[in-house]
Structures are given as C-alpha cells and as structure tokens.
Amino acid sequence: MKSVSIIAAAAVMLASSVNAASNDPRECEVCMKVMQDVRDSLPKADQKDKPKIEAALAAQCAKDTLSARERKICYYIEPIKRDVAHPFSLGMPVDRLCKRINKSNSEICGVKFPVKTENLEKKDLTKLRVKQLKSILLDRGVECKGCVEKEEFIAMVQNTEHLAGSDEF
C-alpha cells in the first residue's frame, strides 16, 4: 500500500512538471507571432482555403521586414507548408498549431526572441533566471567559463553589455 501511494505521488509530480514545462510563456513565441501575422493578413473567408493559406504563408515569409528569428521559422515552415495549412484551415489556435508542427520539426519551438537587455539595471537582471542569463551571453557570443553562481552570470552580462548587438545571426 505504501509503495502504491509513493508511485501515485511520483506520477502526480511528473504530470505537474510536464504541465509546468509546457506552460512556458516563451515556448513557440516566434512561431506563434508568424502564424498570427499570417492569420491577420488573411480575410476571414480565405482562412479555410488551404491554397490561399499556403500563399499567405509564402507572402509573409517573403517580407523584408522580418527579423532573423522570424526568417528562421519561415525556413523551417517552408517545406511543411501543406501540413501547416490543414490545421490552420480548421481554425486551430496558433499556440496549438505551433505545438503540432513542432512534432515534425522540434526546432520550431526552440526559436525564441532575445531577452531585451537595453537599460537593464542590476536589480532587473537579478529577476532573470540563470537560463535566461546564459541565453543573453550566448546571443552575445560569450561563454562564462567557471561561472557557477547567479551573481557571476549577472556580472558577466553587465561586463559584456557593449557586445549587445542586433537580432541578426
């Protein structure tokens, strides 16, 4: 009986951790923005027509104003346009649509917008997670060797502020 309750508790904890991981607000954020822009560009009547959805995807991806990360999503979506158009035509919400197409290419939800670091003070940096601080350093092309504590990552982010560049790859 005791082992059954331990197994049940472990299952509940596992399920809650999976839920917490899937509720990341930054998960699939670039994909969701691109898909929402496509949806907004289509008239209501054309949102159920697959060829027009594919054409709208191509038109959205051909824009010169896209950021590097949005172009990367377009690069991933281009070969699977037809697979994207079907759930899109059924009116699937963009978050579910992106999670579905992430199954065919797991890199789609891995593309995230960079963390804004302009004019951040130390008190603002302390609110970020170590994972986000590492991401900032990675975007700047800096590796924090020997950094263990969060304070060390914060110091490195502040020391490399001059390297904060554009969104280009």
Side-chain angles (χ1 to χ4, degrees):
M1 182 66 181
K2 194 175 195 179
S3 63
V4 172
S5 62
I6 290 173
I7 292 173
V12 168
M13 288 177 20
L14 180 65
S16 65
S17 68
V18 168
N19 261 351
S22 66
N23 290 334
D24 179 14
R26 295 189 63 211
E27 184 181 20
C28 299
E29 66 182 347
V30 180
C31 175
M32 290 191 303
K33 182 188 181 306
V34 169
M35 290 301 148
Q36 190 60 51
D37 290 346
V38 170
R39 182 163 281 158
D40 293 343
S41 70
L42 280 170
K44 191 79 168 162
D46 292 344
Q47 289 185 6
K48 300 214 180 285
D49 188 10
K50 291 178 192 175
K52 290 185 179 177
I53 293 169
E54 291 176 28
L57 273 167
Q60 176 69 25
C61 291
K63 290 183 179 178
D64 292 334
T65 58
L66 294 179
S67 71
R69 285 167 172 79
E70 290 170 326
R71 286 193 305 269
K72 192 172 191 178
I73 289 295
C74 287
Y75 174 78
Y76 291 144
I77 289 177
E78 183 66 31
I80 57 171
K81 241 185 330 195
R82 188 151 295 183
D83 297 333
V84 173
H86 178 69
F88 196 99
S89 69
L90 298 175
M92 184 177 285
V94 292
D95 59 334
R96 288 189 51 215
L97 174 65
C98 287
K99 287 178 183 168
R100 175 175 282 185
I101 62 176
N102 188 50
K103 291 176 184 172
S104 63
N105 186 346
S106 61
E107 295 177 355
I108 288 176
C109 285
V111 180
K112 296 181 178 166
F113 287 116
V115 177
K116 301 293 182 198
T117 58
E118 301 89 37
N119 303 323
L120 279 181
E121 296 177 12
K122 183 172 168 111
K123 65 178 181 178
D124 296 329
L125 289 173
T126 59
K127 294 177 184 175
L128 296 177
R129 295 178 178 216
V130 172
K131 184 176 183 179
Q132 292 171 313
L133 294 170
K134 286 181 180 178
S135 173
I136 293 169
L137 292 172
L138 183 67
D139 288 343
R140 293 180 182 172
V142 176
E143 189 175 339
C144 191
K145 290 186 178 181
C147 294
V148 178
E149 298 294 323
K150 184 175 183 177
E151 290 300 319
E152 295 168 337
F153 285 102
I154 292 171
M156 184 64 90
V157 167
Q158 289 175 327
N159 293 339
T160 59
E161 188 67 36
H162 64 283
L163 297 175
S166 67
D167 186 28
E168 296 303 315
F169 289 115

